Amino acid sequence: MSELAIANKLQKLVADMHSHCIGLNLKDVTLKTYLNTLLNHLLRLIKSPLSQPRHKRRAQIVFLSLVVSCLSLVTGCSYFGYRIVSKCYYFFKYSNKRHEGAPLRRTRSQTLLNSGARIMYIPDDKTMNTNVNVISKDKRKKIFIPPKYDDVYEHDKYLFKAIDSSIANGQNKQSQLFYSKFLNQMNAISKILIPSIFDKNSVLLVLQIFFLIMRTWLSLFVARLDGQIVRDIISHRGRKFLLDLVVWFLIAVPASYTNSAIKLLQRKLSLNFKVNLTRYIHDMYLDDRLAFYKLMFDTKASSSVIKNIDNSITNDVSRFCDATCSVVANIAKPVIDLVFFSIYLRDNLGTVGVGGIFFNYFLTGYILRRYTPPLGKLTSASSAADGTYYNYHLNMINNSEEIAFYQGTDVERIKVQKLYETLMEAMLNVSKRKFNYNMIEDYILKYTWSGLGYVFASIPIVLSTVATGVNSEQRNMKDFIVNKRLMLSLADAGSRLMHSIKDISQLTGYTNRIFTLLAALHRVHSINFNYGATTRSSQIDWDQLSSNKDMHTANNLHLIKQKRIEKATEVVQGTVQNNFNGVRLENVDIVIPSTRAKNGTKLIKKLTFQVPPSIDPLSSRADSVQDFNEITNDISIPFLNSAGSSLLILGPNGCGKSSIQRIIAEIWPIYNKNGLLSKPTEANLLCVPQKPYFTRGGTLRDQIIYPMSSDEFFDRGLKDKLLVQVLREVKLDYLLKRDKGWSYLDTVSDWKDVLSGGEKQRMNFARIMFHKPRFVVLDEATNAISADMEDYLFNVLKRYRFNFITISQRPSLIKYHDLLLEISDDNSGLWQLQTLGTDEAITSIDNEIEEIKRKLEKVNEWKAEREELQRKLEIL
Ligand SMILES: Nc1ncnc2c1ncn2[C@@H]1O[C@H](COP(=O)(O)OP(=O)(O)OP(=O)(O)O)[C@@H](O)[C@H]1O
């Protein structure tokens, strides 16, 4: 057969289909005018009262299918259009240099825009290579991170505080369906999830609701078509059956598109929520207010949420977002179904039928609500047990060597097993409590409802048969099928709504955990964080309050509470002066932060010292750190305008030596009003903690340059040559000679385990040499280093004229220092500061020498005693 013949045959087939189905003659219709003609014809058929009923019905179906398909196409296109427009918007808003004036700063893994926003380059999923230094351009993905707006956190702080205190005051009352506490908490969190109505998440939410409505609409259509097809089969109308089947397949296209779109939008919304919430938490948790450290002092945050904060930030956030999105979908879906189906069914079943169905729903809802177990609490407990178990494993991995030395396997195994059993118990508890509920739920929703469905679906048929006295099987069958299908859909919608009671209950648990986390972060992140202080009883005028006759009235109690809170925010009263060309403490009480604030344990009283002891006012400009831009390849130049001065802090264990460092680093507060801390700029001060710290999964280079990132290192144009020089200076260059040479700097390893104790401490000195801050505070920085190396390292510090404060228990370090601060060992909190080299200091050292000499004179006496004892032992 020729091609022409095939085309003619096809044309005839299409023309026949149009004329049989909707009576449209395609004789003079061209391809250009086809759509116009079709739409006009369909509308004419639908509107005209004279058109044949079968043509009219088909025209309605075809018209609706066309509209739905077009809508799907338009929404799909507009979503992608929206994404392209929003990308362009961000591009022009944040990356246009002209808007911002100054040039952008680029590093290897990110571009810092002047607006504060960042563009990060992360490895593409497919490559899964986490080392940002080796990502090739085509294998990386750009992520836009909007700038952090501090005002938002300041504003939200009050919102969270208000809700938190209203919950603490017991203002929340249980409502019938769920707690108002839940709604309040959700209200606060929702502002993070959807910051504004023009946010992309609002668009996604609206789109999702649109698709949900479309889905219900399509279901109605399918129900009618289903009934029609069954009637066609029963009445042996072959052609009509085939035509309806074609429409069935046509309608299936937008129907399946809609279902997938709903799932995709739900997933996308959940991911967007997760991104918003995680960024919000990171911004508060990891900024210069050190919330991650201060959390341990927050007395209100003793819950498992904060103890296992790693689990809360990772798992709880994820679970909460998934649960929120699924609850939204699970409620919106059945509610829309219920509205649409009941309107349609009202025409078929009558108001009494629909009323009966809804009465049935409310009754079911009431019964199920009564038997719903406290899933919120149970899932919260299960989540907490999960976090504790995970955390313990993490702790074991981090301390594996120590545990191995102690042979602590048995203890650890018992502990791990116990935690695992607790977790299993919590999970089992959830399942057990769900068992009864599921049984009732199944019985009612699956069986009772479908049984009642048959009854309601048959009502109109029975009534019309009784009324007319005619039993039309075909029509009855069609009506029954349509009604039954709708009833089942309605039952399904109702049951999903009932199921969502359980989901809401579960969501309350997650919401509570996330709210607790955010509220704690806001408390700690606040500039007025009071380190867990609850009262300042000494400062509250209790006498004045108690003299009031109406002391017991609720108003007064509220006043006292208010007063307590107000006073508590004033607990940190000391002053901190920055940009000082030295380190100075004046009248500072070293107090362990606690609920008792300044009345807590006082370790050292009114501490006063200054390094260097005298500061020339002219030299007090803070020209300091090594200028990496100028001195790129040489670290060997000492500070030229500084003589370098040093202080040694000596004292027994637990007397508060490290706490002085905590005060200097501003991670502990100064409680007393007349306490003053003057310190240099951040870049001029490096505090070396007692426990060496090494970043996980970092290269050797990352360890030397910490707290600088390798991005910044390369960005500044610094070279590995400088690091080799630094390592040579602290005699660690042999590490590079092992087998890999300089490429050893790129080796990623668990450096905490690889380096020995002494090496780790020498690495601290390498960091000092690299950063060259003018002021260094060393806490027991050489206690694992041999005496000759210790001597060498202190001489290096002196040679480069660093100003350093050393915290130690070893008087042998006196010789490297100019000042000595001795803390008394009788727990009195007293101290003594002396300048080494003065008569007083020399006398005190002379006294010590005298004491040792006296002891040495007794050596022979003690030796004789020992020999005597040994002889006695031999006789025995
Ligand atoms: N976060 C904290 N919470 C409660 N008490 C703390 C906290 N940190 C330290 N302390 C207590 O404060 C006291 C002083 O601690 P600090 O670390 O300053 O001692 P130290 O003088 O440096 O001792 P060492 O020489 O053993 O290092 C100790 O009794 C310690 O238990």
Side-chain angles (χ1 to χ4, degrees):
M1 209 190 301
S2 71
E3 277 178 20
L4 199 68
I6 295 174
N8 282 340
K9 206 147 191 148
L10 270 176
Q11 245 176 17
K12 195 169 176 300
L13 202 73
V14 172
D16 279 356
M17 204 177 84
H18 280 78
S19 78
H20 287 307
C21 184
I22 46 174
L24 176 64
N25 192 354
L26 288 181
K27 212 172 182 186
D28 300 323
V29 182
T30 60
L31 212 58
K32 268 186 188 170
T33 55
Y34 171 73
L35 198 65
N36 218 352
T37 319
L38 178 71
L39 282 176
N40 281 336
H41 183 75
L42 288 175
L43 285 173
R44 209 171 35 247
L45 279 179
I46 292 167
K47 277 186 194 164
S48 164
L50 302 172
S51 48
Q52 285 183 29
R54 66 189 175 103
H55 280 167
K56 191 173 187 163
R57 210 166 33 249
R58 285 174 196 159
Q60 281 171 343
I61 293 171
V62 173
F63 183 74
L64 274 172
S65 313
L66 276 173
V67 170
V68 168
S69 309
C70 287
L71 275 175
S72 311
L73 201 73
V74 168
T75 46
C77 290
S78 35
Y79 176 67
F80 286 112
Y82 162 78
R83 292 211 53 184
I84 292 166
V85 169
S86 68
K87 283 222 157 128
C88 292
Y89 170 74
Y90 279 125
F91 180 79
F92 281 111
K93 187 172 176 193
Y94 294 109
S95 62
N96 197 338
K97 281 190 210 173
R98 281 168 301 167
H99 277 272
E100 309 294 339
L104 311 176
R105 222 186 87 200
R106 281 199 182 80
T107 66
R108 282 187 161 199
S109 70
Q110 56 177 291
T111 304
L112 187 67
L113 308 180
N114 286 303
S115 59
R118 273 175 299 148
I119 293 175
M120 293 200 89
Y121 307 103
I122 57 156
D124 203 349
D125 260 357
K126 284 162 251 162
T127 57
M128 286 312 283
N129 191 345
T130 47
N131 189 353
V132 288
N133 295 332
V134 294
I135 315 169
S136 67
K137 244 185 176 176
D138 51 330
K139 283 179 182 166
R140 65 188 191 172
K141 206 172 162 185
K142 260 191 195 177
I143 306 280
F144 177 79
I145 301 189
K148 180 185 163 198
Y149 295 111
D150 288 327
D151 292 354
V152 173
Y153 297 96
E154 292 307 315
H155 167 268
D156 289 359
K157 185 176 79 186
Y158 292 106
L159 179 71
F160 276 84
K161 195 172 166 185
I163 296 173
D164 203 22
S165 48
S166 80
I167 291 169
N169 292 342
Q171 281 177 12
N172 61 315
K173 298 272 178 291
Q174 280 190 10
S175 73
Q176 277 303 304
L177 198 56
F178 34 67
Y179 302 137
S180 64
K181 174 182 156 189
F182 162 66
L183 284 184
N184 275 335
Q185 292 179 334
M186 201 48 163
N187 178 36
I189 301 173
S190 65
K191 292 189 171 63
I192 303 168
L193 306 181
I194 306 176
S196 74
I197 46 166
F198 300 111
D199 192 72
K200 63 177 173 185
N201 288 351
S202 328
V203 178
L204 287 179
L205 206 62
V206 171
L207 267 180
Q208 198 179 6
I209 290 170
F210 170 77
F211 275 110
L212 285 171
I213 294 174
M214 199 149 94
R215 179 187 149 279
T216 311
W217 197 22
L218 288 168
S219 307
L220 266 173
F221 227 6
V222 170
R224 288 183 61 175
L225 206 59
D226 191 18
Q228 230 160 275
I229 289 174
V230 173
R231 196 183 55 184
D232 294 343
I233 296 170
I234 289 172
S235 53
H236 301 288
R237 296 183 198 164
R239 197 138 37 97
K240 210 168 166 307
F241 167 73
L242 281 177
L243 283 172
D244 285 339
L245 214 58
V246 169
V247 179
W248 178 272
F249 284 118
L250 271 178
I251 207 86
V253 178
S256 26
Y257 175 83
T258 308
N259 279 336
S260 316
I262 291 170
K263 275 185 203 144
L264 175 77
L265 286 170
Q266 185 179 335
R267 190 87 206 109
K268 180 89 187 130
L269 202 61
S270 167
L271 279 175
N272 282 0
F273 282 175
K274 246 177 256 180
V275 168
N276 281 7
L277 204 52
T278 312
R279 278 186 192 158
Y280 188 89
I281 292 172
H282 280 177
D283 283 349
M284 261 201 295
Y285 187 58
L286 293 163
D287 75 351
D288 48 9
R289 294 196 189 167
L290 308 176
F292 60 91
Y293 172 77
K294 291 180 183 167
L295 264 176
M296 75 164 124
F297 297 109
D298 186 35
T299 36
K300 285 193 198 163
S302 53
S303 71
S304 66
V305 179
I306 305 303
K307 273 190 207 143
N308 301 325
I309 191 155
D310 49 348
N311 181 53
S312 305
I313 293 178
T314 50
N315 291 339
D316 283 349
V317 166
S318 170
R319 285 182 199 143
F320 165 77
C321 295
D322 288 344
T324 310
C325 289
S326 74
V327 161
V328 169
N330 288 353
I331 292 180
K333 239 190 235 177
V335 166
I336 293 167
D337 279 2
L338 283 177
V339 172
F340 271 70
F341 291 157
S342 48
I343 291 171
Y344 185 85
L345 274 174
R346 220 197 68 162
D347 297 343
N348 287 11
L349 301 181
T351 316
V352 180
V354 175
I357 291 168
F358 274 92
F359 174 73
N360 180 28
Y361 281 157
F362 286 117
L363 189 69
T364 315
Y366 176 73
I367 297 171
L368 290 182
R369 175 72 197 146
R370 278 205 63 173
Y371 288 96
T372 313
L375 285 174
K377 270 190 197 153
L378 292 174
T379 43
S380 185
S382 157
S383 193
D386 193 17
T388 318
Y389 175 65
Y390 168 82
N391 215 273
Y392 201 83
H393 267 294
L394 197 71
N395 179 54
M396 256 174 43
I397 297 163
N398 286 343
N399 299 294
S400 54
E401 192 173 274
E402 288 79 359
I403 296 169
F405 273 133
Y406 280 119
Q407 307 247 339
T409 324
D410 284 344
V411 184
E412 299 300 332
R413 195 181 51 236
I414 291 167
K415 183 80 189 164
V416 166
Q417 274 171 351
K418 205 170 149 191
L419 289 177
Y420 182 71
E421 289 312 318
T422 317
L423 170 63
M424 284 297 109
E425 191 57 37
M427 285 165 79
L428 203 67
N429 210 2
V430 178
S431 310
K432 267 190 206 160
R433 299 293 293 272
K434 272 186 182 171
F435 176 76
N436 285 344
Y437 177 80
N438 283 347
M439 214 171 71
I440 298 169
E441 197 183 54
D442 250 29
Y443 185 81
I444 298 177
L445 301 185
K446 268 197 185 158
Y447 301 104
T448 318
W449 276 23
S450 42
L452 286 174
Y454 284 117
V455 175
F456 286 118
S458 60
I459 288 175
I461 296 167
V462 174
L463 287 181
S464 75
T465 312
V466 170
T468 56
V470 183
N471 185 5
S472 161
E473 267 184 31
Q474 284 170 13
R475 210 196 65 223
N476 286 350
M477 178 62 80
K478 186 212 155 194
D479 286 350
F480 182 76
I481 293 284
V482 173
N483 286 351
K484 197 196 124 192
R485 201 179 170 101
L486 287 180
M487 289 296 306
L488 287 182
S489 301
L490 203 59
D492 183 49
S495 71
R496 265 188 277 125
L497 201 60
M498 299 304 151
H499 281 304
S500 56
I501 295 177
K502 195 168 60 187
D503 294 343
I504 291 173
S505 178
Q506 224 157 15
L507 180 64
T508 54
Y510 292 132
T511 312
N512 192 33
R513 286 179 74 81
I514 295 296
F515 183 85
T516 312
L517 170 72
L518 290 171
L521 281 177
H522 272 295
R523 267 197 307 276
V524 174
H525 187 258
S526 163
I527 200 107
N528 295 323
F529 177 56
N530 58 18
Y531 288 80
T534 47
T535 55
R536 275 183 75 214
S537 46
S538 61
Q539 299 241 337
I540 296 176
D541 200 349
W542 291 108
D543 293 342
Q544 191 202 326
L545 283 170
S546 55
S547 67
N548 195 327
K549 281 179 198 153
D550 304 325
M551 179 70 192
H552 57 280
T553 61
N555 250 354
N556 235 323
L557 284 175
H558 183 69
L559 195 76
I560 296 170
K561 230 178 229 172
Q562 192 75 21
K563 197 140 185 142
R564 274 188 187 188
I565 293 166
E566 277 169 18
K567 290 286 176 190
T569 54
E570 294 169 15
V571 285
V572 183
Q573 291 180 323
T575 314
V576 179
Q577 177 198 356
N578 284 305
N579 296 331
F580 184 67
N581 201 17
V583 177
R584 177 182 168 83
L585 270 79
E586 202 175 305
N587 286 320
V588 175
D589 283 337
I590 310 285
V591 181
I592 301 177
S594 68
T595 47
R596 291 187 297 148
K598 69 178 280 189
N599 299 320
T601 313
K602 200 176 281 182
L603 299 167
I604 304 172
K605 288 176 192 157
K606 307 255 169 276
L607 184 62
T608 303
F609 68 79
Q610 178 177 305
V611 176
S614 62
I615 297 171
D616 175 8
L618 292 177
S619 79
S620 65
R621 65 195 175 93
D623 58 340
S624 50
V625 269
Q626 179 174 228
D627 189 343
F628 287 105
N629 293 328
E630 285 169 22
I631 309 161
T632 46
N633 290 319
D634 197 1
I635 54 129
S636 60
I637 303 164
F639 296 114
L640 296 174
N641 55 358
S642 161
S645 142
S646 49
L647 164 78
L648 175 67
I649 303 177
L650 284 181
N653 287 130
C655 69
K657 299 186 299 296
S658 304
S659 308
I660 299 174
Q661 192 189 24
R662 291 180 189 123
I663 295 270
I664 295 173
E666 281 187 83
I667 59 177
W668 273 20
I670 303 171
Y671 286 113
N672 56 317
K673 213 172 190 171
N674 57 348
L676 168 71
L677 163 70
S678 307
K679 55 183 284 200
T681 52
E682 220 171 88
N684 282 332
L685 176 72
L686 188 72
C687 291
V688 178
Q690 201 173 88
K691 210 166 72 182
Y693 172 71
F694 290 90
T695 51
R696 273 181 84 121
T699 59
L700 183 63
R701 181 186 302 104
D702 292 338
Q703 314 308 327
I704 303 167
I705 63 175
Y706 191 84
M708 183 189 276
S709 67
S710 56
D711 260 355
E712 199 177 337
F713 178 81
F714 292 114
D715 185 38
R716 283 172 183 264
L718 298 173
K719 299 275 169 343
D720 283 349
K721 198 175 152 194
L722 176 72
L723 300 184
V724 178
Q725 206 179 348
V726 164
L727 287 179
R728 197 175 300 132
E729 199 67 75
V730 295
K731 296 201 187 295
L732 272 180
D733 50 332
Y734 64 87
L735 289 177
L736 302 180
K737 288 176 193 152
R738 279 190 174 156
D739 50 357
K740 294 185 178 165
W742 282 21
S743 65
Y744 196 56
L745 287 170
D746 283 316
T747 309
V748 176
S749 187
D750 221 342
W751 293 102
K752 183 179 142 291
D753 299 328
V754 170
L755 298 176
S756 74
E759 282 173 338
K760 279 188 247 184
Q761 291 197 333
R762 273 192 270 165
M763 194 59 92
N764 279 336
F765 280 85
R767 281 176 193 168
I768 296 171
M769 290 308 300
F770 174 74
H771 289 285
K772 283 191 87 181
R774 284 175 73 88
F775 297 88
V776 185
V777 185
L778 300 156
D779 189 359
E780 302 283 7
T782 53
N783 57 5
I785 294 178
S786 61
D788 54 336
M789 183 46 82
E790 185 178 66
D791 183 66
Y792 170 77
L793 290 173
F794 274 107
N795 281 326
V796 167
L797 290 186
K798 290 195 92 62
R799 181 151 45 89
Y800 284 94
R801 301 184 203 156
F802 281 100
N803 294 290
F804 56 96
I805 297 174
T806 312
I807 295 168
S808 178
Q809 294 180 35
R810 291 153 70 170
S812 59
L813 297 181
I814 285 177
K815 55 181 180 268
Y816 309 113
H817 296 82
D818 311 326
L819 294 165
L820 173 67
L821 177 75
E822 269 186 295
I823 296 157
S824 78
D825 48 8
D826 54 2
N827 288 334
S828 59
L830 299 174
W831 50 271
Q832 196 191 357
L833 181 71
Q834 47 185 302
T835 312
L836 295 166
T838 59
D839 292 347
E840 202 184 326
I842 290 167
T843 325
S844 107
I845 293 168
D846 283 349
N847 287 345
E848 216 169 313
I849 295 169
E850 281 304 313
E851 178 74 26
I852 294 167
K853 272 185 186 166
R854 267 199 301 280
K855 281 181 185 167
L856 281 173
E857 277 165 15
K858 288 186 184 170
V859 165
N860 289 336
E861 212 176 294
W862 291 337
K863 269 186 183 168
E865 269 179 33
R866 197 183 67 175
E867 278 163 17
E868 179 69 15
L869 280 170
Q870 271 177 344
R871 234 188 350 266
K872 281 182 182 170
L873 281 170
E874 275 165 18
I875 294 166
L876 279 171

